[in-house]
Amino acid sequence: MPHAESADRPCVIEFRQYTLRPGRRDDLIELFDRELVETQEDTGMVVLGQFRDLDAPDRFVWLRGFRDMATRHRALTSFYGGPVWAEHGPRANTTMVDSDDVLLLRPLSGESGGSGLALRPSDRPGRRAAAPDRFVSATVWSFPPGRDAGVELVRDGLLPALEATGPAPLAALTTETAPNTFARLPVRTGENAAVVITSYADEAACRRHLAAVQAEALVRDEILPGIEREQTAPPHLLRLAPTARSLIGTAA
């Protein structure tokens, strides 16, 4: 069922951070972009973005999306039980030290299909494309489980300010609380996260945007201090470079 259940605006998103063996990141990216993109999407998911972490030379970051949790279970069962992973999975696994740092997320807005990730697989660059000269930022805030105040401050305060002062985030996500029904692939549990992903022409544009939003009096004096009071740890900012076939940061 090629792409039949790959929603343009997926409502379940996996945010995956892999720690790789030293010097093996390009090996995994070459294999991933050649063999593991369309073949995953043929089972009913969408590969949203693949990235080099600019602060960790042995970290590979990627996202994939699903229409809903039932689709996720069917798609993962089909892919990881199928011939493509049987052929290429062993080689991919040789590059990895850890692949269990995974956040299971949903749109922060709570609206059906409202992740902001309006991406179409048909827009993905081809296998011979060059990596784009783009910069993607992903900020992850962590809040106490069961407390809504921090996530609400990101949603209702910070996001409008970001949209008013620079490029609108491509995605605003929060923790999906439904149980992980595909135990073969663990996800982080006990989380209450907010994740904002934005694409820029370059890192300088990102810095200008952040300076502009932090200069807003409401953000500086109320929103950011409020988020800081609620968070359980400082926000984790990922500086990411899209691979040649990443939808986020290329076709987006």
Side-chain angles (χ1 to χ4, degrees):
M1 192 187 303
H3 307 308
E5 294 182 307
S6 295
D8 283 352
R9 293 177 181 266
C11 293
V12 176
I13 299 97
E14 293 178 353
F15 187 95
R16 311 185 67 87
Q17 300 182 63
Y18 290 1
T19 300
L20 306 181
R21 300 186 186 281
R24 298 299 306 277
R25 184 166 66 183
D26 284 349
D27 295 339
L28 178 60
I29 289 172
E30 188 277 332
L31 175 66
F32 193 105
D33 278 4
R34 188 184 73 243
E35 303 289 353
L36 303 178
V37 176
E38 285 84 358
T39 51
Q40 290 189 76
E41 292 178 340
D42 286 344
T43 68
M45 63 185 92
V46 57
V47 177
L48 298 164
Q50 308 95 269
F51 309 95
R52 292 172 173 88
D53 187 326
L54 295 175
D55 294 310
D58 299 316
R59 185 173 296 138
F60 174 63
V61 179
W62 67 292
L63 294 89
R64 63 182 166 191
F66 311 84
R67 175 175 292 176
D68 50 37
M69 289 296 289
T71 300
R72 176 178 181 267
H73 183 267
R74 289 195 299 271
L76 295 180
T77 300
S78 177
F79 181 74
Y80 288 102
V84 173
W85 189 247
E87 179 180 357
H88 300 291
R91 181 182 165 194
N93 285 334
T94 65
T95 69
M96 301 177 195
V97 175
D98 175 70
S99 60
D100 293 346
D101 187 350
V102 181
L103 287 172
L104 191 62
L105 304 169
R106 58 177 170 78
L108 182 55
S109 66
E111 299 173 0
S112 176
S115 69
L117 287 167
L119 305 173
R120 296 179 300 177
S122 59
D123 291 335
R124 179 178 289 107
R127 287 182 173 86
R128 297 186 178 181
D133 188 18
R134 297 281 298 182
F135 178 84
V136 172
S137 72
T139 305
V140 182
W141 290 270
S142 296
F143 301 108
R147 287 178 59 93
D148 296 332
V151 173
E152 290 172 353
L153 280 165
V154 173
R155 182 192 65 201
D156 300 332
L158 188 59
L159 279 178
L162 287 168
E163 293 168 359
T165 54
L170 294 176
L173 309 166
T174 192
T175 299
E176 169 58 66
T177 57
N180 176 24
T181 57
F182 194 76
R184 182 174 170 182
L185 296 183
V187 302
R188 286 161 53 179
T189 58
E191 299 286 340
N192 182 22
V195 180
V196 175
I197 301 170
T198 310
S199 178
Y200 296 94
D202 51 36
E203 188 170 4
C206 175
R207 289 196 295 266
R208 289 193 297 270
H209 187 196
L210 295 181
V213 75
Q214 290 167 0
E216 295 286 318
L218 181 63
V219 173
R220 182 186 64 242
D221 299 335
E222 297 185 27
I223 295 171
L224 290 179
I227 292 172
E228 186 173 352
R229 285 193 297 271
E230 292 293 326
Q231 66 193 16
T232 57
H236 182 198
L237 173 62
L238 288 88
R239 301 167 55 251
L240 303 173
T243 74
R245 306 204 66 215
S246 174
L247 282 174
I248 297 175
T250 55

mmCIF file of all heavy atoms in Angstrom, residues 16 27 37 42 48 81 87 91 98 108 114 117 121 145 149 152-153 164 177 198 207 228 237 241 248 250:
data_model
loop_
_atom_site.group_PDB
_atom_site.id
_atom_site.type_symbol
_atom_site.label_atom_id
_atom_site.label_comp_id
_atom_site.label_asym_id
_atom_site.label_seq_id
_atom_site.Cartn_x
_atom_site.Cartn_y
_atom_site.Cartn_z
ATOM 1 N N ARG A 16 14.084 10.700 16.737
ATOM 2 C CA ARG A 16 15.053 9.651 17.027
ATOM 3 C C ARG A 16 16.477 10.212 16.991
ATOM 4 O O ARG A 16 16.870 10.851 16.015
ATOM 5 C CB ARG A 16 14.915 8.507 16.017
ATOM 6 C CG ARG A 16 13.470 8.030 15.822
ATOM 7 C CD ARG A 16 13.382 6.806 14.915
ATOM 8 N NE ARG A 16 13.984 5.647 15.541
ATOM 9 C CZ ARG A 16 13.343 4.817 16.360
ATOM 10 N NH1 ARG A 16 12.063 5.011 16.664
ATOM 11 N NH2 ARG A 16 13.976 3.789 16.897
ATOM 12 N N ASP A 27 28.493 6.504 6.694
ATOM 13 C CA ASP A 27 28.119 5.173 6.207
ATOM 14 C C ASP A 27 26.623 4.936 6.399
ATOM 15 O O ASP A 27 25.936 4.439 5.488
ATOM 16 C CB ASP A 27 28.894 4.085 6.956
ATOM 17 C CG ASP A 27 30.384 4.128 6.695
ATOM 18 O OD1 ASP A 27 30.787 4.713 5.670
ATOM 19 O OD2 ASP A 27 31.138 3.587 7.522
ATOM 20 N N VAL A 37 14.439 4.922 2.759
ATOM 21 C CA VAL A 37 13.477 6.032 2.755
ATOM 22 C C VAL A 37 12.166 5.578 2.120
ATOM 23 O O VAL A 37 11.162 5.347 2.802
ATOM 24 C CB VAL A 37 14.055 7.265 2.045
ATOM 25 C CG1 VAL A 37 13.015 8.378 1.962
ATOM 26 C CG2 VAL A 37 15.289 7.778 2.784
ATOM 27 N N ASP A 42 6.667 2.941 1.881
ATOM 28 C CA ASP A 42 5.797 1.973 1.229
ATOM 29 C C ASP A 42 4.937 1.204 2.228
ATOM 30 O O ASP A 42 3.933 0.601 1.849
ATOM 31 C CB ASP A 42 6.628 0.979 0.411
ATOM 32 C CG ASP A 42 7.165 1.591 -0.877
ATOM 33 O OD1 ASP A 42 6.663 2.651 -1.289
ATOM 34 O OD2 ASP A 42 8.087 0.999 -1.463
ATOM 35 N N LEU A 48 10.442 12.046 7.603
ATOM 36 C CA LEU A 48 10.308 13.496 7.602
ATOM 37 C C LEU A 48 11.638 14.234 7.504
ATOM 38 O O LEU A 48 11.712 15.293 6.883
ATOM 39 C CB LEU A 48 9.586 13.945 8.874
ATOM 40 C CG LEU A 48 8.164 13.412 9.026
ATOM 41 C CD1 LEU A 48 7.690 13.585 10.462
ATOM 42 C CD2 LEU A 48 7.228 14.117 8.053
ATOM 43 N N GLY A 81 9.568 -6.434 9.926
ATOM 44 C CA GLY A 81 9.396 -7.856 9.665
ATOM 45 C C GLY A 81 9.526 -8.218 8.203
ATOM 46 O O GLY A 81 9.296 -9.371 7.824
ATOM 47 N N GLU A 87 17.473 -7.436 4.744
ATOM 48 C CA GLU A 87 18.656 -7.291 3.906
ATOM 49 C C GLU A 87 19.599 -6.212 4.415
ATOM 50 O O GLU A 87 20.822 -6.417 4.462
ATOM 51 C CB GLU A 87 18.239 -6.962 2.470
ATOM 52 C CG GLU A 87 19.424 -6.764 1.522
ATOM 53 C CD GLU A 87 19.014 -6.442 0.098
ATOM 54 O OE1 GLU A 87 17.792 -6.424 -0.187
ATOM 55 O OE2 GLU A 87 19.916 -6.195 -0.730
ATOM 56 N N ARG A 91 23.541 -4.338 8.348
ATOM 57 C CA ARG A 91 24.593 -3.357 8.053
ATOM 58 C C ARG A 91 24.327 -2.051 8.789
ATOM 59 O O ARG A 91 25.255 -1.440 9.335
ATOM 60 C CB ARG A 91 24.681 -3.106 6.547
ATOM 61 C CG ARG A 91 25.774 -2.101 6.186
ATOM 62 C CD ARG A 91 25.821 -1.821 4.709
ATOM 63 N NE ARG A 91 26.614 -0.623 4.436
ATOM 64 C CZ ARG A 91 26.607 0.011 3.276
ATOM 65 N NH1 ARG A 91 25.876 -0.425 2.267
ATOM 66 N NH2 ARG A 91 27.339 1.101 3.123
ATOM 67 N N ASP A 98 23.839 3.112 20.114
ATOM 68 C CA ASP A 98 22.562 3.218 20.819
ATOM 69 C C ASP A 98 21.528 3.832 19.882
ATOM 70 O O ASP A 98 21.799 4.845 19.227
ATOM 71 C CB ASP A 98 22.698 4.085 22.071
ATOM 72 C CG ASP A 98 21.356 4.297 22.755
ATOM 73 O OD1 ASP A 98 20.832 3.333 23.329
ATOM 74 O OD2 ASP A 98 20.816 5.420 22.693
ATOM 75 N N LEU A 108 1.524 19.772 19.003
ATOM 76 C CA LEU A 108 1.316 20.560 20.213
ATOM 77 C C LEU A 108 -0.051 21.220 20.220
ATOM 78 O O LEU A 108 -0.660 21.418 21.272
ATOM 79 C CB LEU A 108 2.417 21.621 20.329
ATOM 80 C CG LEU A 108 2.420 22.527 21.551
ATOM 81 C CD1 LEU A 108 2.432 21.724 22.842
ATOM 82 C CD2 LEU A 108 3.621 23.457 21.505
ATOM 83 N N GLY A 114 -2.326 18.669 12.910
ATOM 84 C CA GLY A 114 -1.794 20.000 13.089
ATOM 85 C C GLY A 114 -0.361 20.069 13.545
ATOM 86 O O GLY A 114 -0.007 20.932 14.340
ATOM 87 N N LEU A 117 3.991 19.912 10.044
ATOM 88 C CA LEU A 117 4.876 19.227 9.107
ATOM 89 C C LEU A 117 4.103 18.869 7.838
ATOM 90 O O LEU A 117 3.765 17.715 7.597
ATOM 91 C CB LEU A 117 5.475 17.980 9.767
ATOM 92 C CG LEU A 117 6.545 18.265 10.818
ATOM 93 C CD1 LEU A 117 6.847 17.020 11.634
ATOM 94 C CD2 LEU A 117 7.818 18.776 10.161
ATOM 95 N N PRO A 121 6.179 13.367 0.405
ATOM 96 C CA PRO A 121 7.298 12.563 -0.075
ATOM 97 C C PRO A 121 7.644 12.817 -1.537
ATOM 98 O O PRO A 121 8.806 12.677 -1.927
ATOM 99 C CB PRO A 121 6.811 11.127 0.153
ATOM 100 C CG PRO A 121 5.879 11.234 1.322
ATOM 101 C CD PRO A 121 5.174 12.557 1.130
ATOM 102 N N PRO A 145 6.176 15.423 34.458
ATOM 103 C CA PRO A 145 4.994 14.691 33.984
ATOM 104 C C PRO A 145 3.741 15.125 34.737
ATOM 105 O O PRO A 145 3.767 15.354 35.950
ATOM 106 C CB PRO A 145 5.349 13.227 34.279
ATOM 107 C CG PRO A 145 6.845 13.204 34.301
ATOM 108 C CD PRO A 145 7.265 14.528 34.879
ATOM 109 N N ALA A 149 1.619 23.435 32.607
ATOM 110 C CA ALA A 149 1.927 24.862 32.524
ATOM 111 C C ALA A 149 3.080 25.148 31.563
ATOM 112 O O ALA A 149 3.018 26.098 30.775
ATOM 113 C CB ALA A 149 2.252 25.412 33.913
ATOM 114 N N GLU A 152 2.065 24.675 27.935
ATOM 115 C CA GLU A 152 1.138 25.740 27.548
ATOM 116 C C GLU A 152 1.869 27.059 27.302
ATOM 117 O O GLU A 152 1.495 27.829 26.402
ATOM 118 C CB GLU A 152 0.070 25.909 28.622
ATOM 119 C CG GLU A 152 -0.897 24.732 28.674
ATOM 120 C CD GLU A 152 -1.847 24.795 29.853
ATOM 121 O OE1 GLU A 152 -1.661 25.701 30.716
ATOM 122 O OE2 GLU A 152 -2.766 23.963 29.919
ATOM 123 N N LEU A 153 2.909 27.347 28.087
ATOM 124 C CA LEU A 153 3.684 28.564 27.856
ATOM 125 C C LEU A 153 4.396 28.519 26.510
ATOM 126 O O LEU A 153 4.484 29.537 25.802
ATOM 127 C CB LEU A 153 4.698 28.755 28.983
ATOM 128 C CG LEU A 153 4.167 29.341 30.283
ATOM 129 C CD1 LEU A 153 5.177 29.137 31.406
ATOM 130 C CD2 LEU A 153 3.842 30.819 30.110
ATOM 131 N N ALA A 164 5.909 35.673 14.910
ATOM 132 C CA ALA A 164 5.828 37.105 14.619
ATOM 133 C C ALA A 164 7.176 37.727 14.304
ATOM 134 O O ALA A 164 7.235 38.798 13.699
ATOM 135 C CB ALA A 164 5.198 37.833 15.809
ATOM 136 N N THR A 177 1.144 10.487 24.747
ATOM 137 C CA THR A 177 1.024 9.726 25.987
ATOM 138 C C THR A 177 0.489 8.310 25.779
ATOM 139 O O THR A 177 0.455 7.524 26.736
ATOM 140 C CB THR A 177 0.115 10.465 26.979
ATOM 141 O OG1 THR A 177 -1.167 10.689 26.368
ATOM 142 C CG2 THR A 177 0.724 11.803 27.367
ATOM 143 N N THR A 198 12.622 24.368 13.475
ATOM 144 C CA THR A 198 12.581 25.486 12.530
ATOM 145 C C THR A 198 13.722 25.350 11.540
ATOM 146 O O THR A 198 14.833 24.955 11.907
ATOM 147 C CB THR A 198 12.693 26.836 13.259
ATOM 148 O OG1 THR A 198 11.754 26.871 14.337
ATOM 149 C CG2 THR A 198 12.414 27.994 12.315
ATOM 150 N N ARG A 207 20.299 32.752 14.684
ATOM 151 C CA ARG A 207 20.711 33.612 15.802
ATOM 152 C C ARG A 207 19.960 34.941 15.780
ATOM 153 O O ARG A 207 19.557 35.454 16.831
ATOM 154 C CB ARG A 207 22.221 33.844 15.746
ATOM 155 C CG ARG A 207 23.045 32.605 16.108
ATOM 156 C CD ARG A 207 24.487 32.984 16.405
ATOM 157 N NE ARG A 207 25.152 33.514 15.216
ATOM 158 C CZ ARG A 207 25.876 32.792 14.374
ATOM 159 N NH1 ARG A 207 26.022 31.494 14.574
ATOM 160 N NH2 ARG A 207 26.466 33.354 13.328
ATOM 161 N N GLU A 228 11.258 28.663 32.316
ATOM 162 C CA GLU A 228 12.397 28.249 33.137
ATOM 163 C C GLU A 228 11.953 27.739 34.508
ATOM 164 O O GLU A 228 12.515 26.772 35.037
ATOM 165 C CB GLU A 228 13.366 29.414 33.295
ATOM 166 C CG GLU A 228 14.649 29.043 34.022
ATOM 167 C CD GLU A 228 15.659 30.176 34.022
ATOM 168 O OE1 GLU A 228 15.433 31.194 33.334
ATOM 169 O OE2 GLU A 228 16.680 30.036 34.725
ATOM 170 N N LEU A 237 19.126 22.253 22.828
ATOM 171 C CA LEU A 237 19.105 22.825 21.484
ATOM 172 C C LEU A 237 19.967 21.969 20.572
ATOM 173 O O LEU A 237 21.173 21.813 20.802
ATOM 174 C CB LEU A 237 19.622 24.266 21.492
ATOM 175 C CG LEU A 237 19.793 24.919 20.115
ATOM 176 C CD1 LEU A 237 18.438 25.012 19.400
ATOM 177 C CD2 LEU A 237 20.424 26.291 20.236
ATOM 178 N N ALA A 241 22.175 19.682 10.474
ATOM 179 C CA ALA A 241 22.398 19.865 9.042
ATOM 180 C C ALA A 241 21.633 18.773 8.304
ATOM 181 O O ALA A 241 21.914 17.581 8.488
ATOM 182 C CB ALA A 241 23.882 19.803 8.713
ATOM 183 N N ILE A 248 12.589 17.818 5.703
ATOM 184 C CA ILE A 248 12.764 19.005 6.529
ATOM 185 C C ILE A 248 14.100 19.653 6.176
ATOM 186 O O ILE A 248 15.145 19.026 6.239
ATOM 187 C CB ILE A 248 12.745 18.645 8.027
ATOM 188 C CG1 ILE A 248 11.390 18.078 8.422
ATOM 189 C CG2 ILE A 248 13.085 19.862 8.876
ATOM 190 C CD1 ILE A 248 11.340 17.577 9.863
ATOM 191 N N THR A 250 14.979 20.768 3.197
ATOM 192 C CA THR A 250 15.285 20.718 1.762
ATOM 193 C C THR A 250 14.021 21.039 0.983
ATOM 194 O O THR A 250 13.809 22.169 0.576
ATOM 195 C CB THR A 250 15.857 19.341 1.360
ATOM 196 O OG1 THR A 250 14.965 18.312 1.749
ATOM 197 C CG2 THR A 250 17.197 19.122 2.025
#
